[in-house]
C-alpha cells in the first residue's frame, strides 16, 4: 500500500521530489499568505469586544497550530527512520526542527503581544503558554542533540529518539499544565459543527493556516535539499549535478 | 537471573560503593540547593511551607541530573558496555538492572534525607506523607527516562549540560503532578488522582524505556 513511497528512501529521488515540489509550495504559500493576511488584517469585520487587536489571530493561531503539527511530523519522520532505516527520514526530521522552533517562537511572541492589551500582562503561567514554551525547549533539545554529534548519521538517530521521547511527553505536558492552571481561552476553530467564530472572520484564518502550512513545507523542502547535498557531497550524483550546473553557468 | 544479578547488579553496587565521593556528591548538592532557598526567599515559615514541596522536587531533579551521567559513562569508556552488547544476555535486561541499581544508589539516600528536608522547609506531617509517596513513585521515573538521554549523550565529549537541556522539559509533568499532590495534601484534600497519574507514567516508562535505552546505547556505540 505504501510501496510508492519506497523509492524516496534514496536521497537522489528525494532530492528530485523536493525540486519538483518546491515551486508549488512557494507559490501556494505566497498566494494563501497574501490573500489571507490582506483579507484578515484589512477587510474582516472588527471584533465587538476586542476591536482591531483581535486581528493578530491571523498570525498567532496558524503558527501555534502548526508548531505542534510540525513536531508531530518530526516524530512521524523519526518513526519512519527508526523502523525502516531511512536516512532521508532523519534528514527530513532535522530539516523540519528549526522551522517548527521558529513557528513556536512566533506563536509565543504574538501571544505575548496579544496578551498585553487583553489580559494586561505580557506573560502569564497559563496552561497553553507554558506548554508552548516547553514545546520550544523540546525543539531546542532535538536541535542541540543533533548539533552535538560529529557523525550526522548517528546524530539523526539520536535526535530521532529524543523527538519521540518528546512526542510521548507532549500530551502529558499539555494535560498536566491544563489541570495545573488555565486562563487561555479554549479552542475556537476546531469545533467545526458549532464554530464560535463568525464565518467572515474564519475564512481568512483558514486561508492563512494553509498559507503557513505551505510556507513551512517550502522552507523544509529547501532545507532538506541542502541537507541531502551536504551529506551526499562525495556521491557521484551530487558531483554530476554540480558539474551540470557549472556547465550551464559557463554557457 | 544469575548473570544479571552477579555480573551486573553486584558489580555496579561494588563500583558505586568504592567511589564514595561520587556517591555522596549529588546528595550534598541537593542539601545545599535546598539550603539556598530559605536564604534566597527569606526564612518565613509560611513562605517556606508554600514553596517547600517544589523546592525539594527541583533539588531532586537537579541533583539527579548531576549524578545521572555516571550511569553508563565509565562502562562506555572502558569498553565493558561493548562487551555486554556482544554477550548473549539481551541488552534491555542489562540496562533495566543497571538503571535499577542507579536508582537504589542515588535516590535511597534522598528518601532517607527527606525527613530532614521536610523539617528544614517546615512541611506538615500530611504534606510529608504525600511528598514521600511522590518521591518513591517519581524518582524511578527520573532514572528510567533520564537513562534514555544518558544513553544518547554518553559518547559525546561534553554531554553534561546537554543532558540537562534534554531532560528538564521532559521532567516538567512529573514536577507539576508531584507538587500538586503535596499541595492538595496541605489543604487536606485527596491527592490520590495525582499519585495515580505519576504511577501510570512510571509504569509506562518502566515498560518502554529499557528498549529505548538499549537502542540509544547502540546508536552511541555506533
Amino acid at each position: 500500500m505504501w510501496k510508492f513511497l519506497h523509492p524516496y528512501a534514496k536521497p537522489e529521488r528525494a532530492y528530485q521530489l523536493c525540486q519538483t515540489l518546491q515551486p508549488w509550495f512557494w507559490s501556494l504559500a505566497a498566494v494563501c499568505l497574501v490573500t489571507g493576511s490582506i483579507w484578515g488584517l484589512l477587510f474582516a469585520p472588527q471584533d465587538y469586544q476586542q476591536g482591531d487587536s483581535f486581528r493578530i489571530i491571523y498570525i498567532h493561531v496558524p503558527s501555534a497550530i502548526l508548531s505542534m503539527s510540525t513536531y508531530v511530523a518530526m516524530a512521524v519522520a523519526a518513526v519512519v527512520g527508526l523502523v525502516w532505516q531511512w536516512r532521508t527520514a532523519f534528514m527530513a526530521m532535522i530539516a523540519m526542527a528549526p522551522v517548527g522552533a521558529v513557528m513556536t517562537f512566533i506563536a509565543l511572541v504574538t501571544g505575548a503581544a496579544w496578551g498585553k492589551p487583553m489580559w494586561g500582562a505580557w506573560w502569564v503561567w497559563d496552561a497553553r503558554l507554558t506548554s508552548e514554551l516547553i514545546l520550544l525547549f523540546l525543539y531546542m533539545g532535538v536541535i542541540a542533540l543533533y548539533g552535538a554529534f560529529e557523525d550526522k548519521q548517528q546524530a539523526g538517530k539520536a535526535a530521532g529518539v529524543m523527538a519521540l521521547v518528546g512526542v510521548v511527553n507532549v500530551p502529558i505536558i499539555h494535560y498536566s499544565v491544563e489541570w495545573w492552571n488555565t486562563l487561555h481561552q479554549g479552542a475556537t476553530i476546531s469545533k467545526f459543527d458549532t464554530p464560535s467564530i463568525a464565518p467572515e472572520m474564519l475564512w481568512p484564518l483558514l486561508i492563512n493556516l494553509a498559507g503557513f502550512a505551505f510556507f513551512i513545507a517550502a522552507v523544509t523542502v529547501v532545507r532538506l535539499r541542502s541537507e541531502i547535498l551536504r551529506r551526499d557531497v562525495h556521491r557521484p550524483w551530487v558531483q554530476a549535478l554540480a558539474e551540470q550546473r557549472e556547465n550551464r553557468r559557463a554557457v | 537471573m544469575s548473570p544479571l544479578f552477579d555480573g551486573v547488579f553486584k558489580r555496579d553496587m561494588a563500583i558505586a560503593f568504592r567511589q564514595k565521593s561520587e556517591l555522596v556528591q549529588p546528595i550534598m548538592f541537593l542539601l545545599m540547593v535546598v539550603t539556598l532557598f530559605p536564604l534566597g526567599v527569606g526564612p518565613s515559615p509560611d513562605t517556606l511551607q508554600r514553596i517547600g514541596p517544589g523546592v525539594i522536587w527541583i533539588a531532586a531533579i537537579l541533583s539527579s541530573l548531576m549524578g545521572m551521567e555516571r550511569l553508563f559513562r565509565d562502562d562506555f569508556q572502558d569498553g565493558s558496555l561493548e562487551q555486554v552488547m556482544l554477550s548473549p544476555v539481551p541488552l534491555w535486561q542489562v540496562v533495566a538492572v543497571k538503571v535499577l541499581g542507579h536508582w537504589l544508589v542515588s535516590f535511597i539516600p534522598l528518601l532517607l534525607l527527606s525527613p530532614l528536608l521536610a523539617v528544614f522547609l517546615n512541611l506538615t506531617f500530611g504534606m510529608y506523607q504525600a511528598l514521600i509517596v511522590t518521591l518513591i513513585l517519581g524518582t524511578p521515573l527520573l532514572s528510567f527516562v533520564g537513562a534514555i538521554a544518558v544513553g544518547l549523550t554518553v559518547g559525546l565529549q561534553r554531554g553534561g549540560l546537554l543532558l540537562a537541556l534534554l531532560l528538564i522539559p521532559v521532567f516538567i509533568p512529573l514536577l507539576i503532578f508531584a507538587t500538586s499532590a503535596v499541595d492538595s495534601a496541605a489543604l487536606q484534600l485527596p491527592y490520590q488522582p495525582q499519585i495515580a497519574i505519576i504511577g501510570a507514567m512510571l509504569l509506562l516508562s518502566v515498560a518502554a524505556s529499557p528498549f529505548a535505552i538499549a537502542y540509544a546505547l547502540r546508536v552511541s556505540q555506533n
Side-chain angles (χ1 to χ4, degrees):
Chain A
M1 174 185 165
W2 298 97
K3 265 222 162 97
F4 73 97
L5 276 173
H6 289 185
Y8 299 111
K10 221 173 137 197
E12 194 177 347
R13 289 294 300 274
Y15 182 86
Q16 284 161 0
L17 178 71
C18 290
Q19 217 163 13
T20 330
L21 289 176
Q22 193 181 333
W24 289 100
F25 283 153
W26 278 122
S27 39
L28 283 169
V31 170
C32 291
L33 282 177
V34 169
T35 341
S37 302
I38 291 180
W39 186 356
L41 297 182
L42 299 179
F43 299 109
Q46 277 194 356
D47 188 73
Y48 79 101
Q49 213 176 8
Q50 304 191 0
D52 274 330
S53 54
F54 97 97
R55 289 182 198 279
I56 202 167
I57 195 175
Y58 296 112
I59 311 292
H60 176 69
V61 169
S63 60
I65 291 179
L66 290 169
S67 66
M68 281 178 264
S69 324
T70 309
Y71 198 89
V72 175
M74 266 173 62
V76 171
V79 169
V80 171
L82 293 176
V83 175
W84 287 282
Q85 306 283 323
W86 282 22
R87 277 196 317 139
T88 43
F90 292 121
M91 296 183 205
M93 185 198 77
I94 212 65
M96 274 184 268
V99 192
V102 169
M103 282 297 140
T104 319
F105 186 72
I106 293 174
L108 284 170
V109 170
T110 53
W114 198 0
K116 185 64 186 164
M118 292 305 126
W119 300 333
W122 293 106
W123 183 262
V124 285
W125 289 99
D126 150 80
R128 290 222 176 170
L129 281 75
T130 314
S131 42
E132 193 73 8
L133 183 65
I134 298 167
L135 186 66
L136 183 64
F137 291 161
L138 290 174
Y139 273 119
M140 286 178 166
V142 171
I143 297 169
L145 186 63
Y146 184 80
F149 283 90
E150 289 278 320
D151 176 359
K152 290 303 170 196
Q153 186 85 7
Q154 205 184 359
K157 286 182 190 168
V161 173
M162 208 55 226
L164 285 178
V165 173
V167 85
V168 172
N169 230 36
V170 163
I172 304 180
I173 291 171
H174 180 77
Y175 289 108
S176 70
V177 293
E178 190 131 301
W179 293 332
W180 172 53
N181 202 346
T182 191
L183 173 66
H184 194 292
Q185 62 173 5
T188 309
I189 60 168
S190 54
K191 303 178 287 178
F192 272 115
D193 39 343
T194 51
S196 42
I197 178 170
E200 52 272 31
M201 290 182 185
L202 179 63
W203 275 109
L205 184 58
L206 292 180
I207 293 172
N208 245 11
L209 185 62
F212 267 77
F214 285 124
F215 179 76
I216 292 174
V219 179
T220 304
V221 162
V222 173
R223 285 181 45 83
L224 179 57
R225 276 179 64 186
S226 39
E227 186 71 32
I228 292 175
L229 286 184
R230 195 169 342 157
R231 294 261 195 107
D232 278 9
V233 73
H234 297 302
R235 297 280 170 94
W237 72 269
V238 177
Q239 284 169 352
L241 202 72
E243 229 160 71
Q244 207 179 333
R245 184 160 298 188
E246 199 75 0
N247 291 341
R248 212 182 302 153
R249 197 171 296 160
V251 174
Chain B
M1 205 56 205
S2 162
L4 281 178
F5 182 76
D6 289 334
V8 183
F9 186 76
K10 275 170 96 174
R11 173 175 169 277
D12 276 10
M13 286 296 137
I15 291 175
F17 281 96
R18 276 175 206 164
Q19 300 174 332
K20 290 223 173 47
S21 63
E22 290 216 24
L23 196 67
V24 178
Q25 276 165 8
I27 284 301
M28 302 265 292
F29 177 77
L30 177 126
L31 198 59
M32 287 177 190
V33 170
V34 172
T35 315
L36 286 182
F37 278 88
L39 304 176
V41 300
S44 139
D46 292 340
T47 317
L48 289 183
Q49 193 172 60
R50 214 175 61 242
I51 65 168
V55 169
I56 294 176
W57 258 102
I58 290 171
I61 289 176
L62 292 181
S63 77
S64 79
L65 290 175
M66 297 270 128
M68 197 87 83
E69 235 189 325
R70 196 184 60 200
L71 186 50
F72 299 120
R73 188 192 55 206
D74 294 342
D75 283 356
F76 181 81
Q77 281 173 354
D78 67 15
S80 44
L81 198 65
E82 205 169 356
Q83 299 303 317
V84 169
M85 285 182 192
L86 295 173
S87 78
V89 186
L91 185 58
W92 64 269
Q93 290 180 2
V94 176
V95 296
V97 173
K98 282 183 87 70
V99 171
L100 197 68
H102 172 262
W103 179 75
L104 288 174
V105 172
S106 33
F107 289 112
I108 293 292
L110 166 64
L111 295 178
L112 295 178
L113 205 62
S114 62
L116 178 66
L117 301 177
V119 173
F120 272 7
L121 296 169
N122 196 29
L123 301 189
T124 62
F125 184 66
M127 289 169 83
Y128 177 68
Q129 276 179 319
L131 178 73
I132 197 83
V133 177
T134 60
L135 283 175
I136 289 172
L137 287 176
T139 48
L141 184 71
L142 294 180
S143 288
F144 272 98
V145 177
I148 301 175
V150 176
L152 291 174
T153 54
V154 72
L156 300 172
Q157 286 302 316
R158 293 174 302 280
L161 191 59
L162 184 62
L163 186 66
L165 289 183
L166 293 177
L167 283 178
I168 288 174
V170 175
F171 288 157
I172 285 174
L174 177 62
L175 177 70
I176 289 176
F177 285 119
T179 50
S180 108
V182 185
D183 285 343
S184 297
L187 302 170
Q188 304 193 328
L189 296 169
Y191 53 86
Q192 283 85 353
Q194 289 95 325
I195 299 292
I197 287 176
I198 297 176
M201 293 196 293
L202 173 65
L203 291 178
L204 177 69
S205 74
V206 171
S209 64
F211 302 100
I213 301 165
Y215 184 82
L217 286 174
R218 286 192 200 282
V219 169
S220 284
Q221 197 65 258
N222 218 354

